[in-house]
Amino acid sequence: MDKLTDAQISEHMKALPNWELGEDRIKRTFRFGDFVQAFGWMSSVALVAERMNHHPEWRNVWATVEVELSTHDAGGLTELDMKLAAEMDALSES
Ligand code: H2B
């Protein structure tokens, strides 16, 4: 999986307005109604992540989940990060 160029990253970020672009990663904090909703969402995301073989860095505190995505194998952002971010957004809306 190839690292995305700055131009490709900019294009992807248009579809991910709730995500913040860092040096080599994208970040978003998800807020849910309570711990069970947060952990339920994490469980759904875990299945998607495992299927993609692409795994999030995340931190859960009660109803909040802080997520950072990057592709360590590529040393930066790839299509996989953008795909997982979009899946996370979609699952948080359902
Ligand atoms: N997840 C993420 N986010 N980045 C990776 O580079 C990565 C991964 N690599 N999940 C995979 C697993 C790799 O470590 C294994 C060995 O396939």
Side-chain angles (χ1 to χ4, degrees), residues 49 52-57 68-75 80-81 84:
M52 291 173 68
N53 190 29
H54 197 63
H55 303 92
E57 293 178 38
E68 298 195 6
L69 300 178
S70 106
T71 304
H72 314 114
D73 298 352
L80 287 173
D81 299 303
L84 186 54

